[in-house]
């Protein structure tokens, strides 16, 4: 599975994501973090990298719904699980039956290439000014 430090990092990322979502006009989005999976996953990915963990951002699709989460040690780590009536930080040992994987991004830079096609409010790059500078170190985002 994942160790306690990863869970603490995930809690920090969820808290940061909730802060980003607090001004959303849709109450459900504010409460469940619906529409914030990409933003939260990108932030969590950067936090994990900063702490020495190897993770990837996974983009999945089911029908017209696209979703993002983190893959770490072949485990699903989803800090927006609440939008699907799951635990707020959802951890699953296997990818079976957890969406259909479309793309896997190992770097934040690769992720940025994809996100430019999404609504602006769902783009992590829109919120870069709210990311602590030390988290952006060792990326091309500074």
């Amino acid at each position: 599975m994942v160790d306690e430090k990863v869970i603490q990092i995930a809690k920090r990322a969820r808290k940061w994501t909730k802060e980003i979502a607090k001004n959303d006009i849709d109450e459900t989005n504010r409460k469940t973090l619906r529409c914030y999976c990409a933003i939260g996953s990108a932030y969590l990915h950067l936090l994990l990298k900063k702490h020495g963990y190897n993770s990837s951002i996974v983009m999945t699709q089911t029908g017209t719904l696209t979703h993002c989460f983190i893959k770490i040690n072949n485990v699903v780590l989803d800090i927006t699980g609440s939008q699907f009536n799951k635990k707020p930080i959802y951890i699953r040992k296997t990818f079976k039956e957890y969406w259909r994987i479309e793309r896997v991004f190992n770097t934040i830079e690769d992720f940025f290439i994809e996100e430019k096609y999404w609504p602006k409010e769902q783009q992590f790059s829109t919120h870069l000014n709210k990311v602590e500078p030390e988290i952006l170190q060792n990326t091309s985002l500074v």
Side-chain angles (χ1 to χ4, degrees):
M1 275 304 258
V2 294
D3 62 36
E4 184 58 33
K5 185 174 181 183
V6 169
I7 292 169
Q8 292 308 311
I9 293 168
K11 286 178 180 178
R12 175 179 170 186
R14 182 170 169 88
K15 182 179 178 182
W16 181 88
T17 307
K18 284 187 79 71
E19 185 65 24
I20 298 296
K22 76 178 183 182
N23 295 320
D24 194 301
I25 59 170
D26 186 306
E27 182 181 359
T28 300
N29 290 357
R30 289 192 309 271
K31 289 174 77 175
T32 68
L33 296 181
R34 181 180 65 191
C35 298
Y36 289 89
C37 59
I39 294 167
S41 293
Y43 185 75
L44 176 55
H45 175 72
L46 287 173
L47 280 177
L48 289 166
K49 294 283 187 196
K50 180 177 177 356
H51 288 279
Y53 292 95
N54 187 24
S55 67
S56 301
I57 303 170
V58 178
M59 185 180 82
T60 61
Q61 192 157 13
T62 299
T64 60
L65 181 63
T66 300
H67 183 54
C68 294
F69 57 87
I70 293 295
K71 178 179 117 177
I72 181 170
N73 301 329
N74 272 337
V75 172
V76 170
L77 179 57
D78 188 347
I79 63 167
T80 62
S82 50
Q83 67 180 308
F84 304 111
N85 296 318
K86 297 187 183 305
K87 292 180 180 179
I89 297 175
Y90 182 70
I91 301 169
R92 187 176 174 107
K93 294 180 188 179
T94 178
F95 283 89
K96 286 183 180 177
E97 301 169 11
Y98 197 78
W99 300 80
R100 180 172 56 94
I101 296 175
E102 290 289 319
R103 303 273 313 272
V104 177
F105 306 95
N106 294 314
T107 69
I108 197 70
E109 291 83 1
D110 289 342
F111 184 69
F112 271 31
I113 293 168
E114 179 69 30
E115 80 161 11
K116 69 183 176 188
Y117 301 106
W118 302 342
K120 195 84 169 148
E121 65 275 5
Q122 293 183 21
Q123 295 178 14
F124 179 68
S125 55
T126 302
H127 305 285
L128 278 178
N129 62 331
K130 297 174 183 101
V131 177
E132 303 89 324
E134 67 273 10
I135 293 171
L136 297 175
Q137 287 177 344
N138 302 320
T139 72
S140 64
L141 308 179
V142 283

